[in-house]
Amino acid sequence: MHSRIICLLICLVLTSPVLLTAAEPVWPGFKASPWFEEQVAYLHLKPEVRLLIVAPRPERIAAGKPNRVVLFATPNGNTIEQTLGCQKQEGRDWHFEIQQIAAQHRQWQSWNPDENLILVCLEAQGLSWPRWRARHPDNPVLIRNLLQNILTVIPLNSPRLTLACHSGGGSFLWGFLNGSDQIPDQVDRFLFLDANYSFSVADQHGRKFLDWLRGDEKRQLTVVCYDDRNVLFRGKKVIGPTGGTYRATGRMRDRFARDLKFQESRAGDLKRETALNGRLTLVTHLNPKNQILHTTLVGEMNGYLYGMTLNTPAGEHIRLPAGPRQYTRWIQPEPFTEAVDSSD
């Protein structure tokens, strides 16, 4: 009788979830992804923002390494899932295949073992950050609050921040920039992938970037664009007489050239203008064939990888934004999927 009781107690101790001391398999609020030993979490934050956090599983995160959180704002008309990407498949929406930000991010991590990299992809309701900002005139404050709320969900100490975007996602970054007179020290890299339409001298964007760049020699501002002035779609120009990223990049260069000296180089159809030892880099595809390169710059030409690795040891893998794709082995077979709460 006593032996049976002892055996029962041992079984209870060994199987009780309260008494088990094994590490949690994922962070609180996250779930394990079926691919690449990652954990993911969807969040809905007010007002009208949906986002997905993609992180390595806890056992792959080294406590002694610096942490970096990348916030990537989706382009107009694209969901989080489409922006992050997956394999091409018959009948699957073509948007899933063109940017592949998640796969590029994984390739960067494989080249950069000295940092713990977390990717956050943000989507505005209506799939347009410019329209979201128009609905919310106080968007500079809202964006700063969003970032703070996101960081409370990621249990890592003192992460560096990288702000990146494609297309209309640039509006999110300009809203962030408008949020205060100075860029926070926590941010050490900006990447605009054909997304800098709204650069404004009047809004002090140039002055803020210059103050920020001069504040730390590890900071990097990178812009990638193409000559979109004469591109046609169905026989009509896609850009108006004053719009487009080519002209916006020219405005940026003109503003920075008031304080800095640029060096210019050419490689094929690419023009590269740099200042501050390359920490300010403007890359323009001259587009002699007048093609639509808006997404080609991002996916086919490894634009995200180029911008993240520029002026880092990992940058030896990609000297300029160019093909072929460097990240194909990291493309997941199926899209990310948000679980539907059946209680709603």
Side-chain angles (χ1 to χ4, degrees):
M1 180 66 178
H2 290 293
S3 62
R4 289 178 61 189
I5 293 174
I6 292 173
C7 288
L8 180 60
L9 290 172
I10 291 174
C11 289
L12 287 172
V13 169
L14 291 177
T15 58
S16 171
V18 176
L19 296 175
L20 289 177
T21 59
E24 290 290 329
V26 295
W27 290 337
F30 284 68
K31 67 175 183 179
S33 170
W35 307 291
F36 304 109
E37 298 180 295
E38 292 173 342
Q39 55 181 336
V40 298
Y42 275 95
L43 295 179
H44 291 255
L45 299 179
K46 294 181 179 180
E48 306 175 328
V49 175
R50 189 173 76 106
L51 62 94
L52 176 61
I53 305 173
V54 183
R57 299 267 184 93
E59 66 270 17
R60 294 178 54 216
I61 295 176
K65 295 179 181 178
N67 305 307
R68 180 177 299 280
V69 174
V70 180
L71 298 124
F72 192 94
T74 56
N76 292 346
N78 287 239
T79 66
I80 290 168
E81 294 81 6
Q82 291 166 345
T83 301
L84 293 174
C86 63
Q87 288 180 5
K88 188 176 182 179
Q89 189 179 100
E90 185 70 26
R92 178 170 286 164
D93 191 308
W94 59 275
H95 289 90
F96 285 100
E97 214 271 326
I98 56 175
Q99 298 170 92
Q100 300 290 1
I101 297 303
Q104 293 193 64
H105 185 83
R106 294 173 187 126
Q107 181 64 75
W108 174 32
Q109 179 72 93
S110 74
W111 290 341
N112 180 26
D114 296 329
E115 288 185 301
N116 299 313
L117 302 179
I118 314 300
L119 175 60
V120 182
C121 193
L122 303 103
E123 167 196 311
Q125 184 174 305
L127 305 184
S128 170
W129 284 108
R131 288 202 299 267
W132 180 87
R133 287 183 63 204
R135 290 196 302 272
H136 302 287
D138 59 341
N139 64 84
V141 174
L142 295 177
I143 290 172
R144 297 293 179 110
N145 291 339
L146 280 170
L147 266 57
Q148 291 306 312
N149 290 335
I150 292 167
L151 292 179
T152 63
V153 178
I154 300 172
L156 296 176
N157 293 325
S158 304
R160 302 168 183 168
L161 294 184
T162 292
L163 272 64
C165 57
H166 174 218
S167 186
S171 185
F172 179 87
L173 269 63
W174 296 124
F176 172 84
L177 211 67
N178 293 341
S180 72
D181 196 50
Q182 294 182 327
I183 299 171
D185 291 341
Q186 194 174 12
V187 181
D188 69 357
R189 185 167 291 246
F190 284 89
L191 172 61
F192 291 87
L193 293 170
D194 209 40
N196 59 326
Y197 302 92
S198 299
F199 173 81
S200 170
V201 175
D203 288 337
Q204 298 294 312
H205 293 160
R207 194 269 305 162
K208 291 179 184 181
F209 274 133
L210 284 170
D211 289 349
W212 171 76
L213 284 165
R214 287 167 169 162
D216 191 323
E217 292 187 353
K218 294 180 180 179
R219 292 172 182 166
Q220 178 77 38
L221 168 59
T222 304
V223 173
V224 180
C225 74
Y226 76 108
D227 190 344
D228 50 9
R229 293 173 297 174
N230 297 308
V231 171
L232 302 178
F233 180 68
R234 296 177 179 174
K236 296 183 179 180
K237 286 188 177 182
V238 300
I239 299 297
T242 60
T245 57
Y246 180 88
R247 292 186 180 96
T249 303
R251 295 197 303 272
M252 293 182 80
R253 188 196 186 284
D254 291 345
R255 169 60 187 89
F256 293 135
R258 286 160 41 186
D259 296 84
L260 304 172
K261 184 177 180 179
F262 277 87
Q263 292 77 46
E264 182 177 321
S265 61
R266 302 285 181 97
D269 293 333
L270 294 173
K271 178 177 70 172
R272 187 168 180 258
E273 299 171 284
T274 63
L276 296 175
N277 296 318
R279 294 193 297 110
L280 170 55
T281 294
L282 311 176
V283 178
T284 302
H285 193 295
L286 299 175
N287 195 21
K289 298 180 180 179
N290 286 323
Q291 299 173 305
I292 299 176
L293 301 177
H294 185 57
T295 55
T296 300
L297 291 172
V298 182
E300 296 299 326
M301 296 178 66
N302 306 284
Y304 178 87
L305 269 173
Y306 171 75
M308 292 299 145
T309 61
L310 183 61
N311 290 331
T312 74
E316 65 181 4
H317 298 282
I318 297 184
R319 302 290 185 180
L320 284 167
R325 294 182 174 193
Q326 299 292 308
Y327 52 83
T328 53
R329 72 188 184 100
W330 298 104
I331 299 176
Q332 63 196 51
E334 298 293 331
F336 287 108
T337 303
E338 183 174 12
V340 178
D341 189 347
S342 59
S343 64
D344 291 342

